[in-house]
Amino acid sequence: MPELAADLRGTINHKLDAQKPSGIRAFDAEVSKIPGIIKLTIGEPDMDTPEHVKQAAIKSIQNNDSHYAPQAGKPELLKAISKYLKDTRGVDYNPENEIISTVGATEALVAALFSLLNTGDKVVIPTPIFSLYFPLVAMTGATAVQVDTSADDFILTPEHLERVLQREGKGVKVVLLNYPTNPTGREYPKETLQGLAQVITKHHLYAIADEIYSDLVYGVKHYSIASMIPERTLFISGLSKSHAMTGYRLGYVAGPAEIIASIHKMHAYLVTAVTDNVQAAGAEALSNGRKDPLAFRKIYEQRRDMIVAGLKKLGFKLATPEGAFYVFAKIPDQFGKDDVKFALQLAKEAKVGVTPGSAFGAGGEGYIRLSYAASDENIQECLKRIGAFMKKLG
Ligand code: PMP
């Protein structure tokens, strides 16, 4: 086994070296070792990929669909994404030069951030939020300006954004939004997005909108900021959550042709193109599987109601999530504010795995995230265990 030469130690990319591994995964790995634990930690659908989507992937392999695809994506996939976005989000993207299919929304985020940002730029990020954004922004040489939204029920208001931009002065280039939000499940109302769009335009900024959970909303309508300011928005999404396809790794980014051309370059440097049969599956999902997320949505909504009611009964305060599959619950005062300590104790003593809120940036301290992409039985059992744990402690 080769050991790194002593004279090479400490010489790798310092920006990368400075990044800590994902708090969520590190915590998950630690609690996974506990025998008998039920985990509500990782954000991944527990459903199967729809059968017709699987068949499309199989057919593609059998047809020897095994050559380099066009870098941006196969025409049938790009057309399917374009039509889907037009029909469901009211935004018109030309499949020929305004959309790139990517290896998950993750690659779309990497390619978009590296295409836009220069050293010294600033990116406004409302928090708590999906923690991947922080190391990615740092790797580009830009700085993340975390904006704690906990005082506004985890929504970045236009007034708050305006205050932040006044304070930061010049240098902010991008506002990075994710709604429905991981980890809070909050959905942004239309008026809030319109207000944010105005502020973003006034300050000559880009918006990056990660809307990967937008097919999983409960009782509210999803609006896209891309439909309001398409000329300055990069729309990012994927099929991991909507069609339970996390392992396929399929996402996409859409926006003005000029920026998409740069993202195309970055995407080509990173991966060349998305895997052929994955593209075939994605085209099938978006063309003939528009209703697939509705079935998932029904199940998640029932689970959401169950877990929200259960947690409230136990004394947790929380803003009811309108989308995704997460609940972000405030730890009752008598248990203190140390969310990492609380989550660790919960894992060890009650055998319930949750994610400490501080893993999601400023404003997440004192909270825990519970993912309800889990069976009804597991959710009920976790609520029972959490209740018994709190009774014993409190
Ligand atoms: N954005 C958000 C907000 C997410 O929560 C996740 C996955 N947890 C991703 C992007 C990454 O999605 P993908 O599987 O498509 O890379």
Side-chain angles (χ1 to χ4, degrees):
M1 228 195 338
E3 211 174 283
L4 183 69
D7 55 320
L8 295 179
R9 283 199 200 122
T11 60
I12 67 155
N13 182 323
H14 295 315
K15 283 197 218 119
L16 182 60
D17 214 16
Q19 300 309 315
K20 292 185 238 113
S22 151
I24 306 172
R25 289 211 172 257
F27 190 83
D28 183 63
E30 186 162 348
V31 302
S32 295
K33 294 182 205 136
I34 298 172
I37 194 153
I38 304 178
K39 294 193 301 172
L40 304 179
T41 42
I42 295 286
E44 129 153 273
D46 58 327
M47 325 280 184
D48 291 328
T49 304
E51 191 56 36
H52 68 110
V53 176
K54 290 195 268 192
Q55 289 306 324
I58 291 167
K59 203 165 132 206
S60 155
I61 293 171
Q62 285 173 336
N63 287 347
N64 293 312
D65 191 6
S66 55
H67 302 275
Y68 287 128
Q71 291 175 338
K74 288 172 180 285
E76 60 268 31
L77 173 61
L78 298 176
K79 278 186 202 152
I81 296 170
S82 171
K83 186 156 179 359
Y84 165 79
L85 291 180
K86 189 169 181 184
D87 295 347
T88 64
R89 304 290 185 271
V91 206
D92 215 341
Y93 292 110
N94 185 342
E96 293 193 1
N97 59 357
E98 294 176 346
I99 303 170
I100 311 272
S101 62
T102 56
V103 180
T106 301
E107 194 232 329
L109 285 160
V110 177
L113 291 168
F114 275 82
S115 301
L116 286 186
L117 296 170
N118 290 309
T119 303
D121 288 338
K122 293 181 195 170
V123 181
V124 168
I125 306 182
T127 59
I129 207 163
F130 183 42
S131 53
L132 174 70
Y133 304 151
F134 306 130
L136 292 186
V137 168
M139 286 295 294
T140 68
T143 309
V145 178
Q146 293 195 30
V147 179
D148 176 354
T149 61
S150 54
D152 293 310
D153 278 339
F154 303 114
I155 299 279
L156 175 66
T157 64
E159 298 75 27
H160 197 175
L161 177 61
E162 181 66 50
R163 279 202 309 278
V164 169
L165 294 172
Q166 298 289 348
R167 185 191 73 209
E168 291 295 325
K170 286 205 161 38
V172 176
K173 186 185 263 184
V174 175
V175 178
L176 177 42
L177 300 170
N178 164 232
Y179 54 92
T181 308
N182 175 7
T184 62
R186 293 310 313 276
E187 176 60 298
Y188 274 50
K190 185 180 182 186
E191 301 70 38
T192 305
L193 288 170
Q194 283 169 333
L196 291 171
Q198 268 179 17
V199 178
I200 287 167
T201 304
K202 179 183 149 197
H203 289 269
H204 311 291
L205 307 177
Y206 292 95
I208 297 181
D210 175 350
E211 303 189 13
I212 191 152
Y213 293 101
S214 54
D215 277 313
L216 301 178
V217 292
Y218 317 115
V220 294
K221 185 168 160 40
H222 177 83
Y223 294 93
S224 183
I225 198 163
S227 68
M228 300 163 191
I229 43 169
E231 71 284 1
R232 53 180 72 246
T233 299
L234 286 176
F235 177 98
I236 289 176
S237 192
L239 285 91
S240 284
K241 321 288 176 175
S242 61
H243 289 76
M245 289 171 69
T246 44
Y248 281 70
R249 312 303 305 124
L250 183 60
Y252 53 90
V253 49
E258 201 172 321
I259 310 172
I260 290 298
S262 296
I263 294 178
H264 189 155
K265 274 199 285 188
M266 191 67 209
H267 165 72
Y269 300 154
L270 283 166
V271 299
T272 306
V274 172
T275 312
D276 282 325
N277 60 82
V278 169
Q279 294 201 41
E284 171 66 21
L286 291 177
S287 306
N288 302 317
R290 296 266 183 99
K291 293 220 165 80
D292 295 338
L294 299 183
F296 296 153
R297 208 194 274 192
K298 238 183 173 160
I299 297 168
Y300 288 133
E301 187 170 2
Q302 281 166 2
R303 292 176 180 171
R304 176 201 65 166
D305 292 345
M306 183 197 296
I307 199 166
V308 165
L311 288 169
K312 281 189 173 163
K313 220 163 138 190
L314 293 175
F316 287 90
K317 287 207 186 81
L318 51 99
T320 297
E322 300 118 330
F325 36 61
Y326 308 108
V327 182
F328 205 58
K330 190 165 191 304
I331 301 165
D333 290 343
Q334 66 267 34
F335 301 102
K337 278 204 156 43
D338 188 338
D339 50 292
V340 178
K341 190 172 149 212
F342 183 84
L344 257 183
Q345 221 176 341
L346 195 62
K348 284 183 184 151
E349 293 176 27
K351 299 194 188 297
V352 176
V354 300
T355 309
S358 52
F360 303 97
E365 308 84 11
Y367 288 79
I368 51 172
R369 185 192 78 173
L370 303 95
S371 162
Y372 52 89
S375 68
D376 288 9
E377 298 75 48
N378 278 353
I379 293 172
Q380 289 292 11
E381 177 60 25
C382 284
L383 287 168
K384 224 161 75 192
R385 292 184 185 186
I386 296 171
F389 166 78
M390 289 171 62
K391 215 164 165 187
K392 207 173 104 202
L393 256 192

